[in-house]
Amino acid sequence: QNRGKTSTSPGPETVKYFILSFRDLTEARRMDRMRTDFVANASHELRTPLASLMGFVETMQGPARGDLKAQERFLAIMLEQASRMARLIDDLLSLSRLEMRAHVPLRDTVDLGEVALHVVDALRPMAAEIGVEIALAGPDGDATVIGDRDELIQVLENLVENACKYGQSGGRVDVRIVAGGAGSSSGSTGPLVEVQDYGPGIERQHVPRLTERFYRADVGESRAKKGTGLGLAIVKHILTRHRARLIVRSEPGEGSTFAVRFPDANADTRPDAR
Ligand code: ADP
């Protein structure tokens, strides 16, 4: 009851300190939470194929012992599960490498036309195998950006691979490189890369979440296609570092376009711009 007498009301210093540390704590907790979620998701994604592998080994040691035909079938599935684990680990390593390099400045002049040609040439055989033709158009002028060539190759690889994989039914993927230049309403613009497919498209509610780690739209359909749900998370990571934007346009039944808009180099005079 006599609290009023003994307690001193906190001075402004104390209050400031409290608020600061409270904010830091919330941010630290949020980061902590994100890390914990990520580790839990990654472990779960790895655990699933591993459990399947162990199950098949046990079956081969037990009920299927001596049944060569069954064993052959099981071995094919086991190889598929092991490949899935390898893909996951590769993507996790890519993400972690990107995080470690986040502060390495971007300095190379990268020709987006050359990058696209490289990626399209590399992916054509895989696409042909699933009945998809990849066409490359442009650039119609200067399409160079300051960046990291390997990272930009990875961006385009992921987008073109997705377009072939998920847009397979469309039979065709168009890759367009548009040079930067004088834009119509918004002044000058940086170069643009577009990857368009004519597959089933993506329902609107999934679009804002596509770049989340492990997010896969239409789980049943996506699971049938090989993937980890990390491809677009990697793309987003790299594009943020290049100050480029990912724009997704998709119409269910008609296909999707994933566009990357790079910043206009001329408009940017900040020395530490990345
Ligand atoms: P994944 O390894 O599953 O391909 P991504 O992060 O690359 O992971 O893509 C996330 C999800 O976005 C995919 O699982 C798929 O559902 C959807 N998606 C990506 N690209 C396309 C596309 N071109 N057409 C339809 N759906 C797509």
Side-chain angles (χ1 to χ4, degrees), residues 162-163 165-167 197 201-202 210 215-218 222 226-233 256 258:
N162 278 352
K165 202 161 60 168
Y166 299 109
D197 71 66
I202 307 162
L210 293 180
Y215 189 82
R216 307 191 74 192
D218 193 354
S222 296
K226 293 172 191 163
T228 59
L230 291 172
L232 290 176
S256 318
F258 283 73

Side-chain angles (χ1 to χ4, degrees), residues 181-189 245 261 264:
S184 47
S185 55
S186 52
S188 66
T189 57
R245 281 200 309 142
R261 169 71 72 189
D264 177 19

Side-chain angles (χ1 to χ4, degrees), residues 98 101 104-112 115 145-155 238 241-242 262:
L98 279 169
R101 288 169 48 85
V104 178
L106 298 166
R107 295 184 198 283
D108 302 341
T109 301
V110 184
D111 177 355
L112 294 172
V115 163
V145 294
I146 300 298
D148 182 294
R149 181 172 177 270
D150 290 343
E151 290 181 15
L152 293 176
I153 284 180
Q154 195 168 8
V155 166
I238 296 174
R241 184 166 139 69
H242 284 77
F262 286 87

Side-chain angles (χ1 to χ4, degrees), residues 22-166:
F22 176 73
R23 280 222 183 111
D24 289 350
L25 214 65
T26 348
E27 180 59 15
R29 280 217 185 102
R30 203 178 65 83
M31 296 299 289
D32 237 29
R33 178 68 205 263
M34 266 174 58
R35 250 190 299 271
T36 317
D37 285 355
F38 178 58
V39 171
N41 282 333
S43 309
H44 173 77
E45 294 286 331
L46 283 168
R47 199 78 184 74
T48 311
L50 186 61
S52 153
L53 266 176
M54 288 163 74
F56 280 110
V57 171
E58 278 170 10
T59 312
M60 285 174 68
Q61 286 175 328
R65 199 181 200 126
D67 183 347
L68 285 183
K69 262 222 144 95
Q71 288 194 357
E72 212 165 296
R73 231 170 359 102
F74 293 163
L75 283 171
I77 303 174
M78 287 164 73
L79 183 60
E80 180 45 49
Q81 298 295 337
S83 312
R84 175 166 170 70
M85 293 183 76
R87 275 197 300 275
L88 267 163
I89 291 168
D90 283 348
D91 281 353
L92 288 170
L93 281 175
S94 281
L95 268 175
S96 124
R97 239 180 267 126
L98 279 169
E99 264 162 19
M100 281 191 292
R101 288 169 48 85
H103 301 292
V104 178
L106 298 166
R107 295 184 198 283
D108 302 341
T109 301
V110 184
D111 177 355
L112 294 172
E114 186 273 326
V115 163
L117 195 62
H118 175 89
V119 169
V120 167
D121 277 347
L123 292 180
R124 262 201 188 111
M126 175 286 286
E129 231 168 78
I130 60 169
V132 175
E133 192 193 325
I134 311 177
L136 173 61
D140 47 350
D142 176 36
T144 54
V145 294
I146 300 298
D148 182 294
R149 181 172 177 270
D150 290 343
E151 290 181 15
L152 293 176
I153 284 180
Q154 195 168 8
V155 166
L156 213 59
E157 254 173 19
N158 285 351
L159 296 182
V160 177
E161 243 177 56
N162 278 352
C164 295
K165 202 161 60 168
Y166 299 109

